[in-house]
Amino acid sequence: MQSDTLKVTVPLLGLMNINFFNVAYKMLGIYEELEEINRQKSMRHLGLISTVFDNVSHSRWDYLMLQCGITELVKKMHAGTEYFALGTIKINGKEYDGESIIKTWFMFSNFGHLKNTLEMKKQ
């Protein structure tokens, strides 16, 4: 199984290693191929609101890494217990890891976010 680990500084959580494997690894490849990572790094997550409130001036990419980082924390909190929250899912007879599916969902929901619509341009 192919995988990649990104070492990123996550808002509120600090420096983290975030693992991408299975379908999340494939989606990360699409992000890289289409330069979506750089685009999201250049976008403020909350647009104009980020200029008003302290501590909310992070990028769209930082927000995505926060979502994926929380997934890492949930996995660690419940590892080895019967309450392992992320589990697995079978789709057409093939089993997928829940962590990978959730991270892929986060990436899909952030992909292209606001592209050519309300992006805030630097003045």
Side-chain angles (χ1 to χ4, degrees):
M1 173 175 51
Q2 294 179 307
S3 66
D4 197 0
T5 300
L6 300 182
K7 189 171 194 169
V8 296
T9 301
V10 179
L12 304 174
L13 301 177
L15 190 61
M16 291 187 76
N17 290 321
I18 300 181
N19 302 299
F20 295 87
F21 55 93
N22 202 300
V23 290
Y25 173 81
K26 291 177 183 178
M27 187 63 182
L28 183 61
I30 293 170
Y31 260 65
E32 291 168 345
E33 180 183 327
L34 298 177
E35 298 183 16
E36 183 68 5
I37 295 170
N38 291 331
R39 192 183 77 79
Q40 286 189 17
K41 283 182 177 180
S42 70
M43 290 177 59
R44 290 182 176 169
H45 172 224
L46 296 174
L48 291 174
I49 293 171
S50 66
T51 63
V52 177
F53 298 105
D54 291 337
N55 300 321
V56 295
S57 60
H58 53 274
S59 71
R60 192 77 201 173
W61 176 253
D62 291 336
Y63 175 68
L64 174 58
M65 291 300 99
L66 174 62
Q67 291 174 306
C68 292
I70 290 170
T71 305
E72 294 277 342
L73 292 176
V74 168
K75 178 182 176 182
K76 287 178 184 175
M77 287 171 44
H78 297 287
T81 71
E82 63 182 289
Y83 302 107
F84 185 62
L86 304 177
T88 59
I89 186 172
K90 266 190 181 176
I91 303 171
N92 293 329
K94 186 173 180 182
E95 193 167 279
Y96 295 91
D97 183 89
E99 177 187 354
S100 178
I101 295 289
I102 290 169
K103 287 178 182 174
T104 303
W105 180 263
F106 289 149
M107 288 190 279
F108 269 124
S109 68
N110 284 283
F111 188 81
H113 187 72
L114 298 179
K115 189 171 187 173
N116 300 320
T117 56
L118 301 173
E119 267 187 52
M120 194 168 116
K121 303 288 183 200
K122 292 183 181 177
Q123 298 177 12

